[in-house]
Amino acid sequence: MKADVVLGSFYGDEGKGKIIDYLSQTADFAVRFSGGNNAGHSIEINGKKFAFHLVPSGILNKNTIAVIGNGVVVDPKVLLEEIKQLKDNGYDAKNLRISDKAHVIFPYHVQMDKLQEGLRGNQKIGTTNRGIGPTYCDKYERCGIRMGDFVNKRYEEQLRRNIEVKNNIFKTYGYETFDADKMLEEYNAYADILKEYVVDTVALLHEAIEQDKKILCEGAQATLLDIDFGSYPFVTSSSPTVGGVCTGTGIGAKYIGEVYGVLKAYSSKVGEGPYITEQDNEIGDQIRELGYEYGTTTKRPRRCGWLDLVALRYAVMINGLTGLAINHVDTIGKLDKIKLCVGYKKDGKVTMQYSTDIEEIAKCEPIYEEFEGNFGDISHIKNREDLPENAKKYLNRIEEVVKVPIKFIGTGAGRDCMIVC
Ligand code: IMO
Ligand code: MG
């Protein structure tokens, strides 16, 4: 049995949670491999809405072990809140496992995130201010604190050193400084509660592979937010692409099976940076309202626009996508006319090559094809053949251009509103 992977194809918020929720119903293990509580997966089950930022959403299935892999950065306070959200709703967290190698987010990381954003002036990245970037910085700087050391209270010396260094920076910029004793007292209490969940997840997952268990790797963020392959610097600080699965879980490449790329029938983006098919006009506003495009993590209104197949083809290449999952087909079908970007015009020539170089991408103009909308209510449809002709034409064209089969079609917000092809 191989580990299947669900990834975001664009700038995040593609509705990965919906596909993950479906696939994890039969998964023995659901694994997060990158990012932290900058992610937001919302799932609706029996009319109840859950928003997870950190805990793999597979936890909602009683038989699934939910793993926070070593590539994730963990804010203990947020994690404790999510455990509470589960318990308050009649679920429990006994199936949660956290990698001993995952790094811990401390309040100085959150403040450093704010400080750095402040210094960027009008070149802001638009981070989620959750301390994600600074925590990964410390990891690579080798002054980070890992979950194993945290819950076993082997982190005091490192924490004191970190606070000393960072307080000097905070003082320089007139920010609040932190008291090491107070932080130790507060965080030791969190460590005590979280200790029961922390294990060697590499060993755990390999045992699962040996026993032929089904593993699902849940992506957070997305391809164009990747630290290497995204539109740097408007990216997150980890690898949400397929490579992140190997480094963020310890699952080797030969154990990876299907790689599903999730996208919406339109596109959206949070934060700054280039976005070729953005509709900064009434159409964008209409899409935002129809699709309720507001951040799960920050509640920010998302920038909205048409689907970009040049960018999608890039995601196909980088991740070796084996299938597509396309959400919000119902939403786009509420418009009269739909546009689909099937290429770029650059220096007078047509190209299918995506560039993450901001100056290069600024020279590109989208080439659109127009489709008829008005799909009507498709939420009950269970077979692709039963979709209205207009919807079929749109979906067929997407497959034709990027040459990857559509495996899932999202037809509404509810858990069951999906066509499995
Ligand atoms: P999900 O999992 C959308 C964006 C931020 C910002 C940039 C860097 O819900 O798809 P960071 O706080 O990570 O340093 O911010 O990345 N970003 C996301 N945008 N969905 C997400 O996650 C995101 N996670 C980070 O808005 O532009
Ligand atoms: Mg999000």
Side-chain angles (χ1 to χ4, degrees):
M1 192 74 95
K2 294 193 171 187
D4 291 337
V5 179
V6 175
L7 300 172
S9 306
F10 292 101
Y11 293 108
D13 307 315
E14 296 93 347
K16 296 177 286 290
K18 189 183 175 81
I19 310 302
I20 288 165
D21 177 43
Y22 173 80
L23 290 170
S24 64
Q25 286 172 41
T26 53
D28 301 302
F29 289 79
V31 191
R32 270 284 303 269
F33 59 88
S34 74
N37 56 308
N38 46 350
H41 290 180
S42 30
I43 303 168
E44 201 176 301
I45 297 182
N46 305 328
K48 224 183 238 177
K49 273 198 180 139
F50 289 85
F52 293 111
H53 299 287
L54 207 45
V55 173
S57 32
I59 194 125
L60 294 176
N61 306 310
K62 356 187 245 313
N63 300 320
T64 308
I65 305 284
V67 178
I68 295 180
N70 57 279
V72 178
V73 289
V74 179
D75 187 324
K77 275 198 216 176
V78 174
L79 184 55
L80 289 169
E81 272 163 31
E82 290 190 5
I83 292 173
K84 183 171 179 296
Q85 180 196 342
L86 283 166
K87 290 184 174 166
D88 289 351
N89 284 290
Y91 290 83
D92 66 43
K94 71 174 193 332
N95 283 351
L96 178 66
R97 308 283 184 277
I98 308 164
S99 167
D100 55 349
K101 297 176 185 62
H103 279 245
V104 183
I105 302 178
F106 286 96
Y108 51 78
H109 291 126
V110 177
Q111 182 160 288
M112 193 62 83
D113 202 350
K114 291 178 185 157
L115 188 154
Q116 292 283 3
E117 271 291 85
L119 291 179
R120 289 183 188 114
N122 60 6
Q123 290 178 314
K124 278 193 198 357
I125 291 169
T127 76
T128 57
N129 272 328
R130 300 300 194 268
I132 308 298
T135 308
Y136 280 112
C137 282
D138 280 3
K139 170 175 173 174
Y140 285 89
E141 179 68 47
R142 286 145 302 166
C143 66
I145 292 167
R146 310 217 279 189
M147 276 314 269
D149 294 323
F150 177 58
V151 297
N152 289 306
K153 315 254 178 80
R154 295 183 303 235
Y155 71 109
E156 179 173 340
E157 222 177 294
Q158 184 68 62
L159 187 88
R160 287 188 186 280
R161 214 158 39 230
N162 289 354
I163 288 182
E164 187 187 318
V165 171
K166 290 173 208 293
N167 273 351
N168 278 317
I169 302 173
F170 292 140
K171 263 186 245 160
T172 306
Y173 289 98
Y175 275 71
E176 176 202 345
T177 55
F178 292 94
D179 182 281
D181 291 324
K182 261 202 212 150
M183 200 181 292
L184 276 164
E185 197 189 323
E186 183 185 349
Y187 277 73
N188 278 338
Y190 302 150
D192 288 336
I193 310 174
L194 292 175
K195 184 164 178 168
E196 65 169 302
Y197 304 109
V198 177
V199 297
D200 178 347
T201 53
V202 177
L204 178 77
L205 291 171
H206 279 277
E207 201 180 316
I209 290 169
E210 263 165 40
Q211 294 172 354
D212 239 10
K213 299 282 189 201
K214 188 170 168 194
I215 299 175
L216 178 73
C217 299
E218 306 191 2
Q221 288 82 47
T223 305
L224 299 179
L225 291 172
D226 185 277
I227 186 78
D228 288 288
F229 304 115
S231 29
Y232 194 90
F234 303 104
V235 294
T236 191
S237 301
S238 63
S239 303
T241 46
V242 75
V245 175
C246 296
T247 57
T249 63
I251 296 175
K254 83 165 187 180
Y255 304 112
I256 293 178
E258 299 293 333
V259 185
Y260 299 113
V262 188
L263 58 141
K264 286 186 281 214
Y266 51 87
S267 61
S268 75
K269 179 176 183 7
V270 214
E272 306 303 316
Y275 177 6
I276 295 200
T277 58
E278 177 170 22
Q279 297 300 300
D280 193 7
N281 52 36
E282 307 91 83
I283 291 183
D285 295 344
Q286 206 182 345
I287 295 176
R288 184 178 311 108
E289 294 316 310
L290 289 171
Y292 193 69
E293 293 296 343
Y294 293 89
T296 318
T297 302
T298 58
K299 310 278 177 266
R300 284 182 281 182
R302 295 176 185 144
R303 300 160 65 188
C304 294
W306 302 117
L307 178 56
D308 180 347
L309 296 186
V310 183
L312 181 58
R313 214 182 69 121
Y314 181 70
V316 168
M317 273 164 34
I318 298 284
N319 298 304
L321 298 182
T322 62
L324 302 178
I326 176 160
N327 279 317
H328 280 283
V329 174
D330 54 314
T331 307
I332 202 77
K334 288 182 181 138
L335 302 179
D336 290 334
K337 302 274 180 199
I338 307 164
K339 283 187 182 173
L340 180 65
C341 170
V342 295
Y344 294 163
K345 203 166 174 187
K346 189 180 161 204
D347 302 324
K349 288 194 197 104
V350 175
T351 176
M352 277 302 280
Q353 198 174 327
Y354 187 80
S355 172
T356 54
D357 184 303
I358 288 162
E359 282 181 14
E360 289 302 309
I361 208 86
K363 291 183 203 156
C364 296
E365 247 180 78
I367 302 170
Y368 289 118
E369 284 177 6
E370 196 173 78
F371 292 79
E372 296 296 323
N374 294 316
F375 299 168
D377 181 9
I378 56 167
S379 59
H380 56 282
I381 295 178
K382 288 287 164 252
N383 293 305
R384 184 167 171 176
E385 309 84 75
D386 300 334
L387 281 170
E389 279 312 306
N390 288 353
K392 278 190 206 161
K393 277 187 197 151
Y394 184 64
L395 297 175
N396 292 347
R397 184 67 179 137
I398 295 168
E399 275 181 334
E400 197 177 274
V401 175
V402 300
K403 300 183 180 72
V404 177
I406 294 174
K407 298 276 180 78
F408 303 94
I409 301 169
T411 56
R415 193 182 201 186
D416 304 324
C417 299
M418 189 158 74
I419 300 173
V420 181
C421 307

